[in-house]
Amino acid sequence: MSETIARDQSAVTDLRRLAERAGNELESASAIEILRWAVEQFGSDWCVASSMEDSVLAHLASRVLPGVDVVFLDTGYHFAETLGMRDAVDAVLPVSVRTVLPLRTVTEQDAQLGPRLHERAPGACCALRKVEPLRRVLTQYRAWASGLRRADSASRARIKVVDWDAKHHMVKLNPIAAWTDDDVDAYIAEHGLLVNPLLSDGYGSIGCGPCTRRLLPGEHSRAGRWAGTPKTECGLHA
Ligand code: SF4
């Protein structure tokens, strides 16, 4: 038992050093170069996490690893458009979409903790419906990729293109960390990519239905998420 733990700890230390070194060495690399590095290091032992806001990262990842796993956390509260986007991405791109469910349905959660937990305790709701499912699925990989960008918000302004995810003990890739909004739009246009239709219906960022509203004039793209509360992140990237 102790041998196994020691080996695991050694592997974790090696992964952390790898992530820290790559974070510096790949800072100026393109998104494709960063993802190619992931294939060199991990083969197919990594995944993409997608909120199905757009298909940019899934498309980039499929270029370096056709059939790459794209993880979608189905909280039970998504807009119909987001579920449709999930199905369209699975049908159109050479990726394997993995829908991950919370341990309890919304009905079961309501019965156990009362209705509308997202209004009373959004942190607890996100922990049950996003954070735990992600943690569960990530145990199957050595690295994961997210579409976080420095332009998203002040709290994301310093993210690295490759980093150590201390929460999940694995490598975290942020291949489009340096991309601007214009970079994203240009890539979507160049490749004719699927985009969640809610983005052209007044929404700036897409999350769960009860916690996402359309933007008011002049608001930042993420202002419609948990509006009127101090919460700005779901806890997936903490
Ligand atoms: Fe619950 Fe809202 Fe978090 Fe979705 S975004 S998991 S509804 S609190």
Side-chain angles (χ1 to χ4, degrees):
M1 182 71 173
S2 58
E3 263 187 33
T4 303
I5 291 172
R7 193 162 55 243
D8 287 348
Q9 287 174 337
S10 170
V12 165
T13 300
D14 288 347
L15 268 183
R16 178 172 55 77
R17 288 185 179 140
L18 180 71
E20 290 169 352
R21 193 167 61 243
N24 294 325
E25 292 176 356
L26 295 175
E27 170 56 29
S28 302
S30 70
I32 284 289
E33 288 169 339
I34 293 164
L35 290 165
R36 282 205 186 102
W37 175 86
V39 175
E40 288 167 13
Q41 297 296 329
F42 310 117
S44 60
D45 194 9
W46 58 284
C47 67
V48 171
S50 175
S51 65
M52 298 297 164
E53 187 168 298
D54 61 50
S55 51
V56 169
L57 186 60
H59 183 266
L60 284 163
S62 74
R63 288 171 56 191
V64 300
L65 182 66
V68 62
D69 284 353
V70 175
V71 168
F72 172 69
L73 304 175
D74 186 354
T75 62
Y77 282 115
H78 282 299
F79 293 100
E81 290 86 344
T82 301
L83 299 179
M85 175 78 182
R86 183 265 320 265
D87 294 343
V89 166
D90 200 23
V92 168
L93 292 182
V95 299
S96 175
V97 173
R98 295 187 63 186
T99 295
V100 183
L101 300 172
L103 294 174
R104 294 182 182 82
T105 65
V106 170
T107 303
E108 289 168 344
Q109 177 173 292
D110 288 355
Q112 185 181 45
L113 300 172
R116 295 183 297 283
L117 183 63
H118 50 80
E119 288 180 4
R120 295 177 286 114
C125 186
C126 277
L128 291 167
R129 311 204 73 75
K130 290 186 174 179
V131 177
E132 186 284 327
L134 181 70
R135 185 191 300 267
R136 188 172 2 113
V137 73
L138 288 186
T139 61
Q140 300 168 29
Y141 303 97
R142 283 191 291 160
W144 67 300
S146 91
L148 294 189
R149 291 187 297 121
R150 294 167 186 156
D152 288 334
S153 64
S155 64
R156 297 180 179 180
R158 300 169 69 84
I159 57 172
K160 305 190 79 164
V161 295
V162 180
D163 209 349
W164 174 240
D165 181 345
K167 188 172 176 178
H168 300 106
H169 285 183
M170 60 198 301
V171 177
K172 171 106 173 269
L173 307 155
N174 300 307
I176 59 170
W179 285 28
T180 65
D181 292 353
D182 286 346
D183 292 333
V184 173
D185 291 344
Y187 190 85
I188 289 170
E190 180 184 355
H191 297 279
L193 296 187
L194 291 160
V195 176
N196 193 311
L198 294 174
L199 289 179
S200 52
D201 189 21
Y203 292 86
S205 173
I206 314 298
C208 293
C211 301
T212 308
R213 66 152 171 78
R214 290 180 175 84
L215 295 179
L216 301 174
E219 282 187 330
H220 188 269
S221 63
R222 286 182 60 83
R225 304 288 297 276
W226 303 285
T229 80
K231 186 172 169 64
T232 58
E233 298 281 354
C234 48
L236 299 180
H237 305 286

PDB file of all heavy atoms in Angstrom, residues 75 77 109 117-118 121-123 125-127 129-130 207-211 225-226 231 234, ligand 1:
ATOM      1  N   THR A  75     -25.809  19.727 -15.944  1.00  0.00           N
ATOM      2  CA  THR A  75     -26.277  20.035 -14.593  1.00  0.00           C
ATOM      3  C   THR A  75     -27.763  19.769 -14.402  1.00  0.00           C
ATOM      4  O   THR A  75     -28.252  19.767 -13.278  1.00  0.00           O
ATOM      5  CB  THR A  75     -26.035  21.518 -14.285  1.00  0.00           C
ATOM      6  OG1 THR A  75     -26.814  22.306 -15.215  1.00  0.00           O
ATOM      7  CG2 THR A  75     -24.566  21.880 -14.404  1.00  0.00           C
ATOM      8  N   TYR A  77     -29.841  21.879 -15.586  1.00  0.00           N
ATOM      9  CA  TYR A  77     -30.393  23.232 -15.640  1.00  0.00           C
ATOM     10  C   TYR A  77     -30.013  23.962 -16.924  1.00  0.00           C
ATOM     11  O   TYR A  77     -30.152  25.182 -17.010  1.00  0.00           O
ATOM     12  CB  TYR A  77     -29.889  24.055 -14.451  1.00  0.00           C
ATOM     13  CG  TYR A  77     -30.581  23.778 -13.144  1.00  0.00           C
ATOM     14  CD1 TYR A  77     -29.885  23.222 -12.073  1.00  0.00           C
ATOM     15  CD2 TYR A  77     -31.927  24.092 -12.955  1.00  0.00           C
ATOM     16  CE1 TYR A  77     -30.504  22.982 -10.856  1.00  0.00           C
ATOM     17  CE2 TYR A  77     -32.556  23.857 -11.739  1.00  0.00           C
ATOM     18  CZ  TYR A  77     -31.844  23.303 -10.698  1.00  0.00           C
ATOM     19  OH  TYR A  77     -32.462  23.071  -9.492  1.00  0.00           O
ATOM     20  N   GLN A 109     -32.491  16.247  -5.856  1.00  0.00           N
ATOM     21  CA  GLN A 109     -31.842  17.301  -5.069  1.00  0.00           C
ATOM     22  C   GLN A 109     -32.906  18.167  -4.382  1.00  0.00           C
ATOM     23  O   GLN A 109     -32.757  18.539  -3.210  1.00  0.00           O
ATOM     24  CB  GLN A 109     -30.962  18.161  -5.976  1.00  0.00           C
ATOM     25  CG  GLN A 109     -30.297  19.333  -5.250  1.00  0.00           C
ATOM     26  CD  GLN A 109     -29.307  20.057  -6.140  1.00  0.00           C
ATOM     27  OE1 GLN A 109     -28.278  19.508  -6.482  1.00  0.00           O
ATOM     28  NE2 GLN A 109     -29.628  21.279  -6.531  1.00  0.00           N
ATOM     29  N   LEU A 117     -32.186  25.415  -4.945  1.00  0.00           N
ATOM     30  CA  LEU A 117     -30.930  25.568  -4.185  1.00  0.00           C
ATOM     31  C   LEU A 117     -30.050  26.630  -4.823  1.00  0.00           C
ATOM     32  O   LEU A 117     -29.321  27.350  -4.142  1.00  0.00           O
ATOM     33  CB  LEU A 117     -30.194  24.218  -4.143  1.00  0.00           C
ATOM     34  CG  LEU A 117     -28.895  24.173  -3.317  1.00  0.00           C
ATOM     35  CD1 LEU A 117     -29.165  24.454  -1.838  1.00  0.00           C
ATOM     36  CD2 LEU A 117     -28.190  22.825  -3.489  1.00  0.00           C
ATOM     37  N   HIS A 118     -30.159  26.750  -6.145  1.00  0.00           N
ATOM     38  CA  HIS A 118     -29.325  27.739  -6.850  1.00  0.00           C
ATOM     39  C   HIS A 118     -29.628  29.159  -6.407  1.00  0.00           C
ATOM     40  O   HIS A 118     -28.778  30.046  -6.507  1.00  0.00           O
ATOM     41  CB  HIS A 118     -29.497  27.598  -8.366  1.00  0.00           C
ATOM     42  CG  HIS A 118     -30.918  27.575  -8.819  1.00  0.00           C
ATOM     43  ND1 HIS A 118     -31.679  28.713  -8.969  1.00  0.00           N
ATOM     44  CD2 HIS A 118     -31.722  26.532  -9.125  1.00  0.00           C
ATOM     45  CE1 HIS A 118     -32.892  28.363  -9.374  1.00  0.00           C
ATOM     46  NE2 HIS A 118     -32.957  27.049  -9.473  1.00  0.00           N
ATOM     47  N   ALA A 121     -28.351  28.929  -2.224  1.00  0.00           N
ATOM     48  CA  ALA A 121     -26.943  28.594  -1.973  1.00  0.00           C
ATOM     49  C   ALA A 121     -26.298  28.161  -3.288  1.00  0.00           C
ATOM     50  O   ALA A 121     -26.032  26.965  -3.508  1.00  0.00           O
ATOM     51  CB  ALA A 121     -26.844  27.487  -0.928  1.00  0.00           C
ATOM     52  N   PRO A 122     -26.036  29.113  -4.180  1.00  0.00           N
ATOM     53  CA  PRO A 122     -25.489  28.725  -5.490  1.00  0.00           C
ATOM     54  C   PRO A 122     -24.143  28.012  -5.401  1.00  0.00           C
ATOM     55  O   PRO A 122     -23.838  27.158  -6.234  1.00  0.00           O
ATOM     56  CB  PRO A 122     -25.381  30.057  -6.243  1.00  0.00           C
ATOM     57  CG  PRO A 122     -25.417  31.108  -5.194  1.00  0.00           C
ATOM     58  CD  PRO A 122     -26.248  30.562  -4.075  1.00  0.00           C
ATOM     59  N   GLY A 123     -23.366  28.334  -4.393  1.00  0.00           N
ATOM     60  CA  GLY A 123     -22.082  27.641  -4.239  1.00  0.00           C
ATOM     61  C   GLY A 123     -22.279  26.154  -4.002  1.00  0.00           C
ATOM     62  O   GLY A 123     -21.579  25.311  -4.568  1.00  0.00           O
ATOM     63  N   CYS A 125     -24.967  24.440  -4.832  1.00  0.00           N
ATOM     64  CA  CYS A 125     -25.563  23.870  -6.036  1.00  0.00           C
ATOM     65  C   CYS A 125     -24.475  23.570  -7.073  1.00  0.00           C
ATOM     66  O   CYS A 125     -24.427  22.479  -7.645  1.00  0.00           O
ATOM     67  CB  CYS A 125     -26.615  24.832  -6.592  1.00  0.00           C
ATOM     68  SG  CYS A 125     -27.541  24.170  -7.992  1.00  0.00           S
ATOM     69  N   CYS A 126     -23.580  24.542  -7.303  1.00  0.00           N
ATOM     70  CA  CYS A 126     -22.481  24.309  -8.255  1.00  0.00           C
ATOM     71  C   CYS A 126     -21.578  23.170  -7.774  1.00  0.00           C
ATOM     72  O   CYS A 126     -21.090  22.381  -8.584  1.00  0.00           O
ATOM     73  CB  CYS A 126     -21.646  25.576  -8.419  1.00  0.00           C
ATOM     74  SG  CYS A 126     -22.293  26.767  -9.600  1.00  0.00           S
ATOM     75  N   ALA A 127     -21.361  23.078  -6.463  1.00  0.00           N
ATOM     76  CA  ALA A 127     -20.506  22.010  -5.944  1.00  0.00           C
ATOM     77  C   ALA A 127     -21.091  20.641  -6.265  1.00  0.00           C
ATOM     78  O   ALA A 127     -20.365  19.710  -6.635  1.00  0.00           O
ATOM     79  CB  ALA A 127     -20.326  22.165  -4.437  1.00  0.00           C
ATOM     80  N   ARG A 129     -23.485  19.979  -8.661  1.00  0.00           N
ATOM     81  CA  ARG A 129     -23.903  19.741 -10.050  1.00  0.00           C
ATOM     82  C   ARG A 129     -22.795  19.994 -11.071  1.00  0.00           C
ATOM     83  O   ARG A 129     -22.922  19.632 -12.238  1.00  0.00           O
ATOM     84  CB  ARG A 129     -25.149  20.574 -10.377  1.00  0.00           C
ATOM     85  CG  ARG A 129     -26.244  20.432  -9.305  1.00  0.00           C
ATOM     86  CD  ARG A 129     -27.622  20.720  -9.795  1.00  0.00           C
ATOM     87  NE  ARG A 129     -28.132  19.653 -10.654  1.00  0.00           N
ATOM     88  CZ  ARG A 129     -28.549  18.461 -10.185  1.00  0.00           C
ATOM     89  NH1 ARG A 129     -28.517  18.187  -8.909  1.00  0.00           N
ATOM     90  NH2 ARG A 129     -28.987  17.553 -11.031  1.00  0.00           N
ATOM     91  N   LYS A 130     -21.714  20.632 -10.641  1.00  0.00           N
ATOM     92  CA  LYS A 130     -20.586  20.865 -11.565  1.00  0.00           C
ATOM     93  C   LYS A 130     -19.262  20.345 -10.999  1.00  0.00           C
ATOM     94  O   LYS A 130     -18.543  19.590 -11.664  1.00  0.00           O
ATOM     95  CB  LYS A 130     -20.440  22.373 -11.856  1.00  0.00           C
ATOM     96  CG  LYS A 130     -21.544  22.964 -12.714  1.00  0.00           C
ATOM     97  CD  LYS A 130     -21.224  24.408 -13.054  1.00  0.00           C
ATOM     98  CE  LYS A 130     -22.244  24.990 -14.030  1.00  0.00           C
ATOM     99  NZ  LYS A 130     -21.935  26.408 -14.350  1.00  0.00           N
ATOM    100  N   GLY A 207     -24.308  29.830 -19.159  1.00  0.00           N
ATOM    101  CA  GLY A 207     -24.247  28.885 -18.044  1.00  0.00           C
ATOM    102  C   GLY A 207     -25.601  28.240 -17.868  1.00  0.00           C
ATOM    103  O   GLY A 207     -26.353  28.059 -18.838  1.00  0.00           O
ATOM    104  N   CYS A 208     -25.938  27.871 -16.642  1.00  0.00           N
ATOM    105  CA  CYS A 208     -27.247  27.277 -16.367  1.00  0.00           C
ATOM    106  C   CYS A 208     -28.352  28.325 -16.507  1.00  0.00           C
ATOM    107  O   CYS A 208     -28.146  29.509 -16.181  1.00  0.00           O
ATOM    108  CB  CYS A 208     -27.276  26.724 -14.957  1.00  0.00           C
ATOM    109  SG  CYS A 208     -26.188  25.324 -14.692  1.00  0.00           S
ATOM    110  N   GLY A 209     -29.526  27.874 -16.945  1.00  0.00           N
ATOM    111  CA  GLY A 209     -30.636  28.785 -17.176  1.00  0.00           C
ATOM    112  C   GLY A 209     -30.986  29.673 -15.991  1.00  0.00           C
ATOM    113  O   GLY A 209     -31.106  30.897 -16.143  1.00  0.00           O
ATOM    114  N   PRO A 210     -31.132  29.116 -14.784  1.00  0.00           N
ATOM    115  CA  PRO A 210     -31.562  29.951 -13.658  1.00  0.00           C
ATOM    116  C   PRO A 210     -30.514  30.990 -13.242  1.00  0.00           C
ATOM    117  O   PRO A 210     -30.860  31.946 -12.536  1.00  0.00           O
ATOM    118  CB  PRO A 210     -31.786  28.944 -12.522  1.00  0.00           C
ATOM    119  CG  PRO A 210     -31.871  27.610 -13.169  1.00  0.00           C
ATOM    120  CD  PRO A 210     -31.033  27.693 -14.404  1.00  0.00           C
ATOM    121  N   CYS A 211     -29.271  30.803 -13.621  1.00  0.00           N
ATOM    122  CA  CYS A 211     -28.181  31.669 -13.152  1.00  0.00           C
ATOM    123  C   CYS A 211     -27.564  32.492 -14.279  1.00  0.00           C
ATOM    124  O   CYS A 211     -26.461  33.027 -14.122  1.00  0.00           O
ATOM    125  CB  CYS A 211     -27.101  30.819 -12.491  1.00  0.00           C
ATOM    126  SG  CYS A 211     -27.695  29.868 -11.098  1.00  0.00           S
ATOM    127  N   ARG A 225     -23.826  36.282 -15.613  1.00  0.00           N
ATOM    128  CA  ARG A 225     -23.693  35.042 -14.824  1.00  0.00           C
ATOM    129  C   ARG A 225     -23.853  35.386 -13.343  1.00  0.00           C
ATOM    130  O   ARG A 225     -23.144  36.220 -12.816  1.00  0.00           O
ATOM    131  CB  ARG A 225     -22.320  34.401 -15.072  1.00  0.00           C
ATOM    132  CG  ARG A 225     -22.016  34.120 -16.547  1.00  0.00           C
ATOM    133  CD  ARG A 225     -22.825  32.969 -17.105  1.00  0.00           C
ATOM    134  NE  ARG A 225     -22.522  31.720 -16.433  1.00  0.00           N
ATOM    135  CZ  ARG A 225     -21.481  30.930 -16.754  1.00  0.00           C
ATOM    136  NH1 ARG A 225     -20.656  31.288 -17.737  1.00  0.00           N
ATOM    137  NH2 ARG A 225     -21.259  29.807 -16.110  1.00  0.00           N
ATOM    138  N   TRP A 226     -24.753  34.717 -12.659  1.00  0.00           N
ATOM    139  CA  TRP A 226     -25.043  34.934 -11.237  1.00  0.00           C
ATOM    140  C   TRP A 226     -25.200  36.436 -10.940  1.00  0.00           C
ATOM    141  O   TRP A 226     -24.713  36.947  -9.934  1.00  0.00           O
ATOM    142  CB  TRP A 226     -23.938  34.344 -10.355  1.00  0.00           C
ATOM    143  CG  TRP A 226     -23.704  32.881 -10.572  1.00  0.00           C
ATOM    144  CD1 TRP A 226     -24.477  31.854 -10.155  1.00  0.00           C
ATOM    145  CD2 TRP A 226     -22.601  32.291 -11.284  1.00  0.00           C
ATOM    146  NE1 TRP A 226     -23.938  30.660 -10.569  1.00  0.00           N
ATOM    147  CE2 TRP A 226     -22.783  30.898 -11.262  1.00  0.00           C
ATOM    148  CE3 TRP A 226     -21.474  32.810 -11.930  1.00  0.00           C
ATOM    149  CZ2 TRP A 226     -21.887  30.012 -11.869  1.00  0.00           C
ATOM    150  CZ3 TRP A 226     -20.601  31.933 -12.538  1.00  0.00           C
ATOM    151  CH2 TRP A 226     -20.804  30.554 -12.494  1.00  0.00           C
ATOM    152  N   LYS A 231     -21.061  35.983  -6.567  1.00  0.00           N
ATOM    153  CA  LYS A 231     -20.461  34.809  -7.230  1.00  0.00           C
ATOM    154  C   LYS A 231     -20.100  35.153  -8.676  1.00  0.00           C
ATOM    155  O   LYS A 231     -20.900  35.740  -9.406  1.00  0.00           O
ATOM    156  CB  LYS A 231     -21.479  33.655  -7.187  1.00  0.00           C
ATOM    157  CG  LYS A 231     -20.986  32.320  -7.707  1.00  0.00           C
ATOM    158  CD  LYS A 231     -22.054  31.247  -7.396  1.00  0.00           C
ATOM    159  CE  LYS A 231     -21.782  29.926  -8.097  1.00  0.00           C
ATOM    160  NZ  LYS A 231     -20.540  29.296  -7.630  1.00  0.00           N
ATOM    161  N   CYS A 234     -17.966  29.205 -11.097  1.00  0.00           N
ATOM    162  CA  CYS A 234     -18.711  28.040 -10.605  1.00  0.00           C
ATOM    163  C   CYS A 234     -17.856  27.145  -9.712  1.00  0.00           C
ATOM    164  O   CYS A 234     -18.380  26.237  -9.073  1.00  0.00           O
ATOM    165  CB  CYS A 234     -19.262  27.240 -11.772  1.00  0.00           C
ATOM    166  SG  CYS A 234     -18.060  26.906 -13.052  1.00  0.00           S
TER     167      CYS A 234
HETATM  168 FE1  SF4 B   1     -26.746  25.395  -9.854  1.00  0.00          FE
HETATM  169 FE2  SF4 B   1     -26.704  27.827 -10.984  1.00  0.00          FE
HETATM  170 FE3  SF4 B   1     -24.391  26.510 -10.429  1.00  0.00          FE
HETATM  171 FE4  SF4 B   1     -26.013  25.694 -12.402  1.00  0.00          FE
HETATM  172  S1  SF4 B   1     -24.857  27.651 -12.301  1.00  0.00           S
HETATM  173  S2  SF4 B   1     -25.010  24.393 -10.918  1.00  0.00           S
HETATM  174  S3  SF4 B   1     -28.052  26.112 -11.511  1.00  0.00           S
HETATM  175  S4  SF4 B   1     -25.915  27.344  -8.964  1.00  0.00           S
END
